[in-house]
Amino acid sequence: MSDLINASLSELSAALAAKQVSSVELSTLFLDRIEKLNPIVNAYVTVDRARTLAQAAEMDARRAKGETGPLLGIPFGHKDIFCTEGWLTTCGSKMLSNFVSPYDATVVSKLKQAGVVTLGKLNMDEFAMGSSNETSYFGPVKNPWDTKRVPGGSSGGSAAAIAARLAPAVTGTDTGGSIRQPAALCGLTGLKPTYGVCSRYGMIAFASSLDQAGPMAKSAEDCALMLNAMAGFDERDSTSLQRETEDYTRDLNKPLNGLRIGLPREFFGEGMSADVRAKVEEALDQYRKLGATTIEVSLPNSGLSVPAYYVIAPAEASSNLSRFDGVRYGYRAPEYGNLDDMYAKTRAQGFGPEVKRRILIGTYVLSHGYYDAYYLQAQKIRRLIAADFVEAFKSCDVIMGPASPDTAFAFGEKSGDPVKMYLSDIYTISTNLAGLPGMSVPCGFGDHHLPVGLQIIGNYFEEAKMLNVAHQYQQVTNWHREMPAGI
Ligand code: GLN
C-alpha cells in the first residue's frame, strides 16, 4: 500500500483498472493518513469521511459498470476557495466559516464527472490573499519539509497536502502566484493556465481579471491529466474561452532539441537568494544537455509588476468584498432571518487584518481623485507588461527563471512587513497581469534541504508545450519524486 502514496496518477489509474485496489480502499488510505498527520500539518480544514467514502463507492460502481478513465476513482483535495456541494466552503475566512455550498464549482464538477473523489477541503490564506498561509482563519499550514516554515500561499494547504502525501493531487488557484510559489516551496509541480482556460464559476473571487484555477501534483504528467479534466468552456463564466478541446498530454514525449529558452535579464538580477540561483542555473544546464539553447531576453517593465498588482488586485477585491453579504455565493443561513439582519451579522463577523488592508487600498485607489493617479496608471502598466512578453516570445519558445526569490521562510519572518511578503511573488505576478500560463517545477534543494522551484512561462495557450518541457526534465531528474523525511 505504501507505494500507492507515492504513485503517479497513471500508476493509480492502472492499479484501479487492474483491481489491485478499489477507490474506497485508496480513499481510506489517504483518509487514514490525514487523520494521523493533519494535526501536524493543518493542510485540511474540512474532512468528511462518510461523504468521501460514499463518493468513492459511487466511482467503484461506475467502474464495475464498465466505465474507464484516467482519473476514475482517484481521490483529490480541493482548495477551500472552490464551492463543493454539501461541504463547507470557507475560503479561509471567518466570514464563510459556516457556509455550506449548495452547488459545485465548474472545475469541481468537471473533475467529478471524470471520476475524482473529494478527500476534503484545503486550508488557504483568507480569500487567497497571502504568500504564507499565515492569514487563514483556521491557523497556519506547516511546510512538511520543515514544520517551522511556511508552505507558501495562498494555496498552502494544497501544496502541503501533496508534500505530506495526504492527497495524490489537488486543485489550486493563482491570482499572483498562489499555485507556483507554494508548489516551489513544497517541492511540487503546479500549473497556472492561460487566463480563461479553466472556468471561474463557483471559485470564490479574489481579483476576477487575474484569478485562474490550476492543477498541483507531483509531476508534469499528473498536471496534464488533471488539466484535461479541468479545462474547457463554461457559459456560466463570461471570461471562459471557447476553444477546441485539447489533450494536454499530447506533447509530453517530444524531444527538446532546438527548444529556445528565454532568460529575462530582470529575473536574474538582485533579489534572488544564492541557493535558488544555483539550482535554477543547474536546471538550465540540464536543459542544454537535453538539446535546448538559452538566450537572454528582456521584460523591461517587470519591475513594476508588484506595484501594479497591488493596485489592481485590491481594487477588484474591494469591489467584491466591501459589499460582501453571503448572498452573492447563493446561500442564506436560516439563522440570519431577513436580509438586513444577515448583512449586519456577516459584517460583524469581520475580516482578518490582511483582507481589511486590501479593502482599504482598493477603496482608496478607486476613489475620486485617486483613480487616475493609481488605478488607471496600473492598468497602463499592465498593458506594457503584456507587451514585453509579446516581444520576448518573438525570440524564444518558453521563458524560464526562479518561481520564488527564496525557499520556504520561517513563520513570522515576513508577516510583519507587507512589502517583504508581497515581494514573494515578484517572479510570478507579471504572468497573471499578462494572462499567460506559468508553471513551477522542482529543481533541487537549497540551504537546509528546502525545495527550489524552476518557473516555466509559456506563450498564450501553450500549456501542452510547457508540460512537455517540464516532463522531459522530469524524465532525467528525480527532484519531483523526493518526499520530506519523516512523512
Ligand atoms: N501573494 C499574492 C497576494 O497575496 C498572490 C495570491 C494569489 O495568487 N492568490 O495577493
Side-chain angles (χ1 to χ4, degrees):
M1 282 295 227
S2 77
D3 45 338
L4 291 175
I5 288 160
N6 286 318
S8 68
L9 295 184
S10 43
E11 285 162 354
L12 290 177
S13 185
L16 285 158
K19 309 238 177 319
Q20 284 158 6
V21 68
S22 68
S23 177
V24 167
E25 286 164 346
L26 191 60
S27 303
T28 303
L29 177 72
F30 282 101
L31 287 170
D32 289 348
R33 286 182 65 78
I34 294 168
E35 203 170 295
K36 200 170 96 194
L37 294 168
N38 201 53
I40 303 168
V41 180
N42 200 27
Y44 284 86
V45 289
T46 303
V47 189
D48 184 338
R49 187 176 274 264
R51 197 173 274 277
T52 298
L53 292 180
Q55 252 188 43
E58 197 185 302
M59 299 313 165
D60 283 332
R62 275 167 60 174
R63 193 178 285 280
K65 283 199 206 109
E67 191 178 326
T68 57
L71 302 181
L72 180 59
I74 302 181
F76 284 12
H78 290 301
K79 184 175 182 179
D80 212 15
I81 200 167
F82 291 100
C83 285
T84 37
E85 187 182 347
W87 295 75
L88 279 171
T89 297
T90 70
C91 218
S93 182
K94 186 180 180 189
M95 277 294 209
L96 289 172
S97 56
N98 60 358
F99 170 55
V100 178
S101 174
Y103 67 99
D104 279 327
T106 298
V107 159
V108 170
S109 64
K110 278 169 139 322
L111 285 168
K112 264 192 192 169
Q113 271 164 33
V116 167
V117 173
T118 304
L119 270 177
K121 303 299 293 292
L122 294 160
N123 208 346
M124 55 182 284
D125 280 299
E126 185 177 9
F127 282 100
M129 297 173 187
S131 300
S132 66
N133 242 278
E134 291 168 289
T135 74
S136 169
Y137 174 64
F138 302 95
V141 178
K142 310 283 173 61
N143 189 320
W145 290 94
D146 178 350
T147 53
K148 290 189 284 306
R149 293 173 190 271
V150 306
S154 64
S155 312
S158 299
I162 301 179
R165 304 299 190 256
L166 305 182
V170 299
T171 51
T173 64
D174 192 312
T175 303
S178 279
I179 287 177
R180 291 161 287 162
Q181 184 256 12
L185 270 48
C186 288
L188 322 169
T189 307
L191 187 148
K192 178 201 98 71
T194 307
Y195 183 79
V197 162
C198 289
S199 166
R200 290 183 301 108
Y201 179 76
M203 193 176 106
I204 296 171
F206 163 8
S208 300
S209 76
L210 300 159
D211 301 340
Q212 246 314 274
M216 297 170 79
K218 294 190 283 292
S219 68
E221 185 192 3
D222 286 2
C223 286
L225 289 167
M226 288 177 75
L227 193 57
N228 275 351
M230 293 168 73
F233 174 67
D234 180 6
E235 63 187 13
R236 286 172 299 187
D237 170 4
S238 62
T239 61
S240 164
L241 295 167
Q242 202 149 14
R243 308 187 76 245
E244 296 262 305
T245 307
E246 283 187 50
D247 175 3
Y248 292 101
T249 66
R250 68 183 186 275
D251 290 336
L252 287 178
N253 295 318
K254 275 197 180 168
L256 298 186
N257 292 329
L259 180 80
R260 296 168 306 162
I261 300 174
L263 305 177
R265 192 178 307 144
E266 297 78 7
F267 283 13
F268 289 84
E270 279 170 39
M272 182 179 8
S273 67
D275 56 343
V276 170
R277 185 186 300 270
K279 295 299 138 184
V280 168
E281 297 284 359
E282 273 175 33
L284 296 172
D285 282 341
Q286 187 66 62
Y287 272 106
R288 289 183 196 106
K289 282 187 201 141
L290 287 168
T293 53
T294 53
I295 53 155
E296 191 178 271
V297 295
S298 179
L299 301 170
N301 292 289
S302 62
L304 298 172
S305 64
V306 172
Y309 173 90
Y310 279 96
V311 169
I312 293 168
E316 292 184 12
S318 68
S319 313
N320 290 327
L321 296 178
S322 59
R323 288 191 292 272
F324 183 85
D325 52 37
V327 160
R328 68 188 304 120
Y329 302 121
Y331 173 73
R332 179 130 62 109
E335 66 270 22
Y336 285 141
N338 70 36
L339 272 185
D340 285 342
D341 277 359
M342 194 188 76
Y343 291 149
K345 280 178 187 151
T346 51
R347 285 206 190 96
Q349 283 177 358
F351 292 115
E354 183 59 28
V355 177
K356 283 187 182 146
R357 180 181 292 132
R358 307 275 179 120
I359 292 174
L360 273 175
I361 300 172
T363 309
Y364 180 81
V365 300
L366 288 175
S367 61
H368 183 70
Y370 295 104
Y371 182 94
D372 289 2
Y374 294 102
Y375 187 71
L376 217 57
Q377 288 299 105
Q379 292 292 13
K380 287 180 185 163
I381 292 169
R382 183 175 189 173
R383 176 59 65 91
L384 294 175
I385 287 169
D388 285 352
F389 278 109
V390 170
E391 196 53 37
F393 277 121
K394 284 181 184 161
S395 56
C396 63
D397 304 303
V398 290
I399 287 173
M400 287 190 191
S404 161
D406 45 19
T407 57
F409 45 92
F411 288 103
E413 197 177 316
K414 299 190 182 183
S415 50
D417 181 347
V419 173
K420 243 185 179 176
M421 188 70 87
Y422 296 171
L423 286 171
S424 301
D425 293 316
I426 183 142
Y427 303 122
T428 48
I429 276 178
S430 49
T431 57
N432 298 77
L433 290 169
L436 288 163
M439 277 185 90
S440 180
V441 175
C443 67
F445 294 88
D447 299 346
H448 314 292
H449 198 64
L450 294 167
V452 176
L454 171 77
Q455 187 174 201
I456 304 173
I457 300 171
N459 212 338
Y460 297 104
F461 306 113
E462 299 216 319
E463 286 81 1
K465 180 185 280 174
M466 294 158 63
L467 287 160
N468 162 229
V469 168
H471 180 71
Q472 289 304 305
Y473 177 74
Q474 293 183 336
Q475 296 307 103
V476 294
T477 57
N478 275 317
W479 306 121
H480 61 293
R481 292 202 178 83
E482 301 274 341
M483 62 188 266
I487 291 294

